[in-house]
Amino acid sequence: MSLLHEPAAAFRSHHDSTRSGLPVLILNVHSHCNCRCVMCDIWKRTRHEEIHAADLERHRESFRKLGVRHVVLSGGEPLLHTDLVPLCRFLQTLNVKLTLLTTGLLLSRRAHEVTEYFDEVIVSIDGPAEVHDAVRRVAGAFALVCKGVAAVRALRPEMRITCRTTVQRTNYSHLCATAQAAKQAGFDGISFLAVDLTSEAFNRPLVWPGERQNEIALTPAELDVLESQLTTLVMMEDELGTGFVCESQEKLDRIVRHFRAHLGLASTQAPTCNAPWVSAVVETDGSVRPCFFHPPVGDIRSHTLEEVVDGPRMRQFRQTLDVQSNPVCRRCVCSLNYRIGPRSASLS
């Protein structure tokens, strides 16, 4: 996930434990997923957990004091939530921008709710139809996504619907075809990021062993194909439209570097990121992380959101974090460089 930059900088140095508010909050509202992706272990969860409106009511004042202005619903799959409408209604009372991160399999079935309560939708797309279905291990998954996009467009044509692709061994040679398929499906844009190989995120109780990492990572020979695909993507503006591919060539090059570093052919390099100063991630069990990849620093079951994000553990984390040298940050595939301005940021 990446946030598009805002006009006025709000970046804090790693020596500063204070924040410029908490404009972005990611809520993992449902623990399960309706896909079985080859590069993710979330679908292996055995516990069924959800965040409900009642769980957040006691944090209403924290939302206000912290200045939360953009809430992202993730999971698992948010559209599997058994009581999604009351949750969205609660968030609407907070006057926040609401983004849905989804597999897209339930978009058609829940199109009325999506168009009524969300400001934008981001769908995970892993390739053209055959490749996408193979990665998701769900027959007909791509067709369901296209049906869902059409259903949302029919109800709210102006709604922004983008997609993001996680680059890994199964789809690295199909990225141009993925962008073309996304355009044909009616998406407004597409974003690419490298697969995470080395963290404990995405329901990995332990870091993947080397053998598992190598099943998903690329070989040196495959890197040449990837580089060619990414270079071609930038040159497809006439076909796709200016800005349809959200990343610049420089950001796409980071994907290649990520895989090169994994092979020991380049050094790891942290992205420009200020996530711990401007955002937080709340898991379905109430635990709060500075970002997707760092360990929890508290929970909202026993404390308010404000107490956690302004608490001693989070302050200590921010004060001691040097993004450019931290080993987790140096291997990170995401970036959040949020800048405060008069407009809300959008995700891609």
Side-chain angles (χ1 to χ4, degrees):
M1 182 182 68
S2 61
L3 277 166
L4 301 183
H5 295 181
E6 285 287 342
F11 185 77
R12 297 275 183 176
S13 75
H14 69 274
H15 299 296
D16 193 344
S17 63
T18 60
R19 297 175 298 98
S20 292
L22 190 80
V24 181
L25 183 65
I26 296 97
L27 296 178
N28 291 336
V29 295
H30 187 82
S31 60
H32 277 245
C33 189
N34 48 9
C35 291
R36 301 173 66 252
C37 299
V38 298
M39 67 287 187
C40 177
D41 290 343
I42 288 176
W43 58 273
K44 296 179 180 179
R45 288 173 176 161
T46 56
R47 295 176 62 184
H48 289 257
E49 295 176 316
E50 293 183 327
I51 294 177
H52 293 272
D55 299 322
L56 298 178
E57 181 60 48
R58 63 187 291 264
H59 303 284
R60 181 184 292 273
E61 187 63 12
S62 287
F63 275 79
R64 186 188 68 80
K65 289 182 177 179
L66 293 168
V68 176
R69 54 195 282 188
H70 191 166
V71 175
V72 181
L73 296 196
S74 186
E77 171 51 55
L79 294 182
L80 286 172
H81 199 287
T82 59
D83 211 16
L84 184 65
V85 170
L87 176 63
C88 291
R89 285 176 177 165
F90 168 81
L91 293 169
Q92 278 191 336
T93 68
L94 302 176
N95 194 31
V96 297
K97 178 177 182 179
L98 198 55
T99 294
L100 172 67
L101 296 185
T102 177
T103 65
L105 299 186
L106 295 174
L107 268 182
S108 177
R109 189 184 306 177
R110 307 197 72 166
H112 283 87
E113 295 153 285
V114 170
T115 54
E116 182 173 357
Y117 295 107
F118 290 92
D119 296 290
E120 67 175 349
V121 178
I122 304 171
V123 182
S124 296
I125 293 293
D126 296 298
E130 185 176 348
V131 176
H132 178 80
D133 293 0
V135 172
R136 297 268 139 182
R137 292 190 283 203
V138 175
F142 192 85
L144 281 174
V145 168
C146 293
K147 182 180 178 181
V149 172
V152 171
R153 290 273 184 241
L155 293 171
R156 191 171 157 194
E158 78 284 359
M159 189 172 198
R160 181 165 175 80
I161 312 174
T162 60
C163 57
R164 63 177 184 179
T165 298
T166 301
V167 180
Q168 36 84 20
R169 173 167 287 174
T170 313
N171 66 3
Y172 76 97
S173 62
H174 303 278
L175 303 187
C176 294
T178 302
Q180 291 168 325
K183 182 72 173 181
Q184 292 170 3
F187 286 100
D188 293 311
I190 187 169
S191 180
F192 295 88
L193 73 162
V195 66
D196 171 60
L197 297 165
T198 58
S199 83
E200 295 180 12
F202 312 112
N203 193 44
R204 300 171 191 160
L206 297 172
V207 174
W208 275 347
E211 297 82 5
R212 179 73 174 103
Q213 293 179 28
N214 291 337
E215 290 175 5
I216 305 299
L218 273 59
T219 66
E222 290 166 340
L223 281 175
D224 292 337
V225 177
L226 171 63
E227 197 161 17
S228 175
Q229 284 278 307
L230 294 176
T231 299
T232 303
L233 270 174
V234 177
M235 301 168 61
M236 292 175 64
E237 279 196 350
D238 289 344
E239 178 180 350
L240 299 174
T242 302
F244 186 80
V245 176
C246 297
E247 287 83 15
S248 64
Q249 180 72 65
E250 180 182 359
K251 287 190 175 183
L252 293 174
D253 288 343
R254 283 191 53 81
I255 297 175
V256 180
R257 185 184 182 93
H258 171 77
F259 288 111
R260 289 194 186 282
H262 181 74
L263 292 167
L265 302 175
S267 60
T268 57
Q269 185 180 72
T272 300
C273 180
N274 60 353
W277 289 269
V278 297
S279 71
V281 178
V282 178
E283 301 281 8
T284 51
D285 64 359
S287 59
V288 181
R289 297 174 180 267
C291 73
F292 286 104
F293 303 100
H294 285 283
V297 294
D299 73 88
I300 62 168
R301 306 288 189 194
S302 55
H303 299 85
T304 67
L305 180 62
E306 183 185 16
E307 288 171 340
V308 175
V309 299
D310 276 344
R313 289 178 63 186
M314 183 72 100
R315 285 179 175 269
Q316 176 68 12
F317 176 83
R318 288 193 296 260
Q319 190 169 31
T320 58
L321 177 64
D322 182 347
V323 171
Q324 294 306 311
S325 64
N326 182 274
V328 173
C329 296
R330 288 183 65 86
R331 291 181 174 86
C332 188
V333 298
C334 296
S335 67
L336 191 160
N337 188 21
Y338 189 96
R339 300 175 183 274
I340 303 296
R343 299 177 294 106
S344 296
S346 61
L347 286 159
S348 61

